[in-house]
Amino acid sequence: MPRCRSPSWHARIAPILHTADARDVHSYARPLEARVHHVALDLAVDFASRRIGGTATLDIERRPDAKQIVLDSKGLEIESITDAEGEPLQWQVGAAHEHFGSPLAIALRPDTKRIAIRYKSAPEAGALQWLTPAQTAGKQRPYLFSQGQAIENRTWIPTQDSPGIRQSWEAVIRVPAGLTAVMSAPRSAEPITQGGESVFSFKMPHSVASYMIAIGVGDLAFQPLGPRSGVWTEPSMLKAAAAELGDTEKMIDSAEALFGPYLWGRFDMLVLPPSFPFGGMENPTLTFLTPTFIAGDRSLVSLVAHELAHSWSGNLSTNATWADFWLNEGTTTYATYRIMEAIYGKERAAQQYALGFASLMKEIDSIGGMNHPDTRLHLDLEGRNPDEGLTEIAYEKGAAFLRTIESIVGRERFDAWLKGWFNRHRFEPVTSAIFLADIRDHLVDGDKELERKLMLDDWVYKPGIPSNVVRPDPKAFAQVDAAVQSFVAGNPANAAAWNGWTTDERLRFLNNLPRKLPKPRLEQLNAALKLNETRNNEVLYAWLDLAVANRFDPAVSALERFLTTQGRRKFVRPLIEALAKDQQWGRPIAQRVYRQARASYHPITQRDLDRLGLI
Ligand code: BES
Ligand code: ZN
């Protein structure tokens, strides 16, 4: 029998992976037969060919009788696979599925515990975006970044790409001299530059899900923000980024008070070029952020609180499969409201909860109403891309669920439970069933009355919103809602009031205006509130959404500028989709914009928009 390298895996993780809930329909891996527990990468980044290539050395643990290990791979060009002694191992790449890629099955000899794969990523790897110098702020050097979640990392790392299979990892990364490589792990050595190449080394001591391995390469500079936080970005962006992130240390302190110690060491951030397809990505020790959150007044920093909160919900306790994505995002969204409340006060947090709840209601409508199965928290994503679970259901229904439990059991008891939840499941995969069992063991504790009040199974397994939901305070935006009523009654928009409002209040106002407005009213709105010129990207998005719904020509140049200068999927996808649907007025604009912007969008954003048949 081989030595048991990790008794805790056998005691804790294997029983979880045995449950039906933890079967991952988006990975070919069979971790109970053979699993990867450590990944060592030695990779060179080649901008000319748009490939990352080198060696991935995998340490594996396997049942003594396991004949093979199955990895995930998508588009990888494999040169050779050997064991630790350099002896070739037999391998085979199975049929490719358009979303999931191919199984990479490697034959194991009885004593094989380490395998070395020589390979290259494909130029069209879905996790990687390669930017030309012209697509960067500095315009001088190229740029590369990765986005692994949910199932993209298999396009550049041959390993088991399932969130339930945690792996420690290390990497040696070779880049053209003068560029800086950063990753989602601490540096393990000082960088070395020689012969036109700079070499960076990283080591993540904790076991993480494979989607949490991330890289950024470019002309990068660093500015500390506090004892354990700092920001990386292109030099010309550094000052504005650091100013916007000035509350980061406070956020870490608040989060620790709420959720328990921060176990990752540093919390640094990388502010990316504007094509970054998400608002943020919680890569451990190095959160990735869109530059579109920089508004100059810290009004959009709940994004930072959100990614920070994932250091507990998501990165410590991780959804075992994408069916339980709500455990990552719903818990994080709830946690974000709590961090925002601790730092900026109850009023701002209550407003954000109200904005979130309104977007949940809108999402339920667009999914197909309260009875649609995709409005369940625990999703059935078999055969579908996990991206389809990326809706406000996971985020805001998940958050509303936790808020509801909190209000029923009281904040003090709930907070003790939440801290305990993260601690009991740190560095482990979790499922909906584990979550419910944990609540029953630690909160309900046999109290039948409480069990009935909580409606736990309805929340997780039934569509729609259970009747015990805690709705947002209807007075959270009393003033703004009155202004909406006044506008609806025919009065002009009031610039003085608008100028006194916060960003959240402005968003509430724009989102609650009637969706159809006559042109003169839009003209007055635009002139009074200077909407086309706003530098706040969330406000601009809310305005452009309304403008498109009304075929408002005077907003088209602002719209084109917005769609061609940033690629955040949450902004570009709904706008371009709405334009494309409007055959007469919108479609020609969508075609013009998409032809111009496509090359600057991330592969996953391109994949969404290519379906519209615009080019
Ligand atoms: N982890 C997500 C981003 C993600 C989810 C990427 C699923 C790929 C697949 C991240 O934490 C996130 O939720 N980002 C949000 C911002 C947040 C403030 C709601 C985003 O990008 O909009
Ligand atoms: Zn998130």
Side-chain angles (χ1 to χ4, degrees):
M1 281 286 284
R3 305 173 300 294
C4 178
R5 290 187 49 108
S6 42
S8 70
W9 189 85
H10 289 280
R12 299 274 318 171
I13 315 279
I16 297 172
L17 296 186
H18 267 293
T19 63
D21 250 29
R23 188 177 70 93
D24 184 357
V25 296
H26 299 115
S27 168
Y28 295 102
R30 299 200 299 259
L32 296 165
E33 287 170 35
R35 71 186 172 96
V36 176
H37 67 84
H38 183 76
V39 177
L41 302 170
D42 185 337
L43 300 172
V45 174
D46 182 8
F47 284 93
S49 65
R50 299 196 157 191
R51 291 175 189 272
I52 294 184
T55 315
T57 304
L58 311 180
D59 290 336
I60 67 174
E61 201 182 5
R62 34 88 62 96
R63 269 192 352 220
D65 60 344
K67 299 279 183 289
Q68 58 173 10
I69 184 164
V70 185
L71 311 179
D72 294 294
S73 71
K74 195 175 179 190
L76 299 177
E77 284 183 24
I78 293 166
E79 279 163 40
S80 68
I81 302 184
T82 62
D83 65 12
E85 283 70 46
E87 293 296 324
L89 294 169
Q90 293 210 333
W91 54 275
Q92 191 177 23
V93 176
H97 180 283
E98 71 158 313
H99 301 308
F100 317 142
S102 307
L104 166 54
I106 303 166
L108 299 176
R109 284 192 277 268
D111 59 344
T112 311
K113 284 190 295 249
R114 176 172 284 183
I115 52 190
I117 306 174
R118 283 202 62 77
Y119 73 102
K120 285 191 183 69
S121 62
E124 60 278 4
L128 304 177
Q129 188 174 15
W130 302 87
L131 300 178
T132 63
Q135 292 171 315
T136 66
K139 312 283 178 211
Q140 303 300 314
R141 306 297 314 261
Y143 202 108
L144 164 71
F145 66 85
S146 71
Q147 166 59 41
Q149 196 181 13
I151 54 170
E152 302 298 333
N153 263 354
R154 60 192 67 181
T155 65
W156 73 288
I157 305 172
T159 188
Q160 293 178 318
D161 193 17
S162 171
I165 307 176
R166 300 180 87 90
Q167 302 151 48
S168 52
W169 64 274
E170 62 194 291
V172 173
I173 303 291
R174 302 157 198 283
V175 303
L179 294 183
T180 299
V182 292
M183 288 190 87
S184 51
R187 276 187 186 171
S188 55
E190 282 303 303
I192 303 166
T193 297
Q194 64 182 181
E197 183 181 81
S198 294
V199 184
F200 295 83
S201 306
F202 306 90
K203 192 170 170 64
M204 169 48 70
H206 300 294
S207 290
V208 298
S210 57
Y211 75 83
M212 296 176 202
I213 306 178
I215 187 170
V217 180
D219 178 14
L220 299 177
F222 178 77
Q223 184 167 319
L225 296 164
R228 50 184 165 169
S229 62
V231 57
W232 289 96
T233 192
E234 287 189 73
S236 67
M237 299 278 298
L238 195 55
K239 209 171 143 216
E244 205 75 10
L245 293 169
D247 291 336
T248 303
E249 285 289 335
K250 268 196 271 183
M251 287 186 180
I252 305 173
D253 292 340
S254 304
E256 283 197 302
L258 286 163
F259 317 129
Y262 181 77
L263 296 179
W264 302 93
R266 293 196 57 85
F267 180 75
D268 290 327
M269 287 157 286
L270 173 65
V271 176
L272 287 124
S275 66
F276 185 62
F278 291 101
M281 178 63 216
E282 66 271 25
N283 299 129
T285 73
L286 185 68
T287 275
F288 283 22
L289 296 174
T290 172
T292 63
F293 89 100
I294 300 175
D297 59 4
R298 301 186 187 175
S299 61
L300 303 179
V301 295
S302 64
L303 170 68
V304 180
H306 177 102
E307 304 313 333
L308 170 66
H310 274 303
S311 305
W312 290 264
S313 45
N315 295 357
L316 284 186
S317 63
T318 307
N319 51 216
T321 75
W322 301 115
D324 282 325
F325 182 56
W326 79 273
L327 286 170
N328 277 16
E329 298 300 342
T331 312
T332 293
T333 302
Y334 172 81
T336 306
Y337 294 135
R338 297 297 306 275
I339 296 172
M340 293 303 285
E341 180 182 323
I343 298 182
Y344 304 104
K346 272 195 179 339
E347 197 185 339
R348 182 163 171 188
Q351 290 189 336
Q352 297 204 328
Y353 185 63
L355 287 177
F357 199 83
S359 64
L360 172 60
M361 291 305 148
K362 212 174 131 196
E363 185 91 293
I364 290 175
D365 262 356
S366 82
I367 290 176
M370 291 284 183
N371 294 321
H372 196 286
D374 285 349
T375 65
R376 294 176 298 183
L377 287 176
H378 178 72
L379 289 169
D380 179 2
L381 293 171
E382 181 123 37
R384 296 195 275 170
N385 191 303
D387 264 18
E388 293 189 33
L390 214 177
T391 71
E392 297 287 6
I393 299 298
Y395 289 80
E396 299 295 346
K397 182 179 171 183
F401 180 26
L402 298 201
R403 173 70 84 208
T404 300
I405 303 172
E406 178 210 318
S407 90
I408 293 171
V409 304
R411 183 167 270 196
E412 205 178 316
R413 268 174 83 192
F414 185 76
D415 284 3
W417 170 79
L418 188 59
K419 228 183 221 184
W421 161 256
F422 294 133
N423 184 44
R424 284 186 289 280
H425 301 278
R426 60 182 191 271
F427 303 112
E428 285 184 7
V430 288
T431 62
S432 283
I434 292 172
F435 178 88
L436 294 178
D438 196 282
I439 295 226
R440 291 193 164 105
D441 287 353
H442 296 276
L443 264 183
V444 179
D445 198 17
D447 181 339
K448 290 222 169 62
E449 174 68 9
L450 178 55
E451 170 75 37
R452 194 184 53 74
K453 277 196 204 146
L454 289 173
M455 305 176 75
L456 297 171
D457 293 314
D458 289 4
W459 272 97
V460 175
Y461 298 114
K462 288 199 181 155
I465 306 291
S467 57
N468 66 353
V469 62
V470 171
R471 290 175 191 279
D473 178 354
K475 291 189 289 298
F477 286 109
Q479 249 196 52
V480 180
D481 293 344
V484 170
Q485 286 319 310
S486 161
F487 184 85
V488 170
N491 299 307
N494 178 344
W498 170 271
N499 292 332
W501 289 343
T502 63
T503 290
D504 294 333
E505 290 166 338
R506 292 175 180 184
L507 290 171
R508 171 75 165 203
F509 182 74
L510 292 175
N511 290 342
N512 280 15
L513 290 178
R515 287 294 89 189
K516 288 285 177 204
L517 285 168
K519 192 166 181 206
R521 302 225 68 198
L522 289 165
E523 273 165 349
Q524 189 271 325
L525 206 59
N526 184 33
L529 312 182
K530 300 193 172 52
L531 294 168
N532 278 343
E533 284 98 75
T534 179
R535 285 177 51 245
N536 185 298
N537 288 300
E538 295 280 355
V539 173
L540 183 59
Y541 170 75
W543 160 240
L544 293 173
D545 182 56
L546 185 65
V548 168
N550 289 283
R551 300 182 165 187
F552 186 59
D553 285 308
V556 169
S557 68
L559 174 68
E560 293 199 16
R561 199 178 332 119
F562 187 60
L563 293 174
T564 52
T565 52
Q566 55 81 34
R568 185 170 170 185
R569 195 159 69 154
K570 165 180 144 186
F571 292 153
V572 302
R573 182 174 161 175
L575 288 173
I576 294 183
E577 280 176 356
L579 286 169
K581 255 197 234 151
D582 180 346
Q583 291 294 340
Q584 286 201 336
W585 181 83
R587 199 158 176 98
I589 303 172
Q591 285 173 329
R592 192 161 70 232
V593 165
Y594 194 49
R595 283 188 189 128
Q596 192 187 336
R598 184 181 186 280
S600 68
Y601 290 168
H602 189 278
I604 60 185
T605 315
Q606 293 178 353
R607 193 169 62 203
D608 291 336
L609 294 174
D610 284 350
R611 290 192 208 116
L612 301 173
L614 294 168
I615 342 194

